[in-house]
Amino acid sequence: MRKYIKFLGIILGIIAIIIIGVYIYNQIKISNYLSDLTYDIVQESYDNCGDYSKSKYQDIVPENIYSSMNYLLGIDKNERNNIRIVKAYHTTPITLILSGITAKSLYTAEGYYIRENEDHETGGKFSPTVYWKLDDDNVWRVSDFDFPP
């Protein structure tokens, strides 16, 4: 009887370890997916100067949030040819899974430019947060965007 209980305990322990391992693997997979997706959206918003009509992410990012992700602050899509970019980059986001259906991606961006006929740089460095929510269709969508001053 003792051998049977010991054997059963070992089997249950192995099953628990497998379940925990699969859960952790899935969390890492989701985190990496959302980090890559956030990076791509931020880069596209920068490339398009926040022009939502050119976005391939319209189904997962609202227009007001998409245009805010452009880290060349104060530049309209029609002004892109009238500036000289001094410095522009954003880091790879770090995504934290907050619950099974919410997450947040944090990154740092910096953008400085000089407008035509001006002699000073405009721009800044900031650390925004993109908030994600898993909807009923099992699709991750941007639910909010925090752009600290």
Side-chain angles (χ1 to χ4, degrees), residues 34-127:
L34 292 176
S35 290
D36 292 345
L37 190 55
T38 301
Y39 185 93
D40 292 345
I41 293 168
V42 170
Q43 184 64 46
E44 183 193 73
S45 180
Y46 162 77
D47 292 342
N48 294 337
C49 250
D51 186 353
Y52 191 68
S53 67
K54 294 180 180 177
S55 176
K56 63 182 178 186
Y57 300 105
Q58 292 180 6
D59 57 331
I60 60 172
V61 185
E63 184 172 5
N64 61 325
I65 292 176
Y66 182 83
S67 59
S68 297
M69 291 178 157
N70 175 20
Y71 49 91
L72 287 180
L73 304 175
I75 294 295
D76 186 62
K77 59 188 173 190
N78 301 323
E79 295 181 286
R80 186 68 180 250
N81 295 329
N82 299 331
I83 64 168
R84 182 171 59 85
I85 298 172
V86 177
K87 186 177 197 177
Y89 78 92
H90 63 96
T91 60
T92 300
I94 297 170
T95 299
L96 307 170
I97 307 299
L98 303 176
S99 71
I101 61 168
T102 60
K104 68 179 180 179
S105 298
L106 306 108
Y107 65 96
T108 300
E110 191 169 9
Y112 292 95
Y113 58 89
I114 299 174
R115 292 181 194 270
E116 261 184 25
N117 303 322
E118 289 186 2
D119 59 354
H120 64 279
E121 291 182 4
T122 303
K125 183 175 183 177
F126 46 91
S127 298

Side-chain angles (χ1 to χ4, degrees), residues 21-37:
V22 168
Y23 175 79
I24 291 171
Y25 172 77
N26 283 333
Q27 295 299 308
I28 292 169
K29 195 168 124 180
I30 291 168
S31 177
N32 290 341
Y33 168 74
L34 292 176
S35 290
D36 292 345
L37 190 55

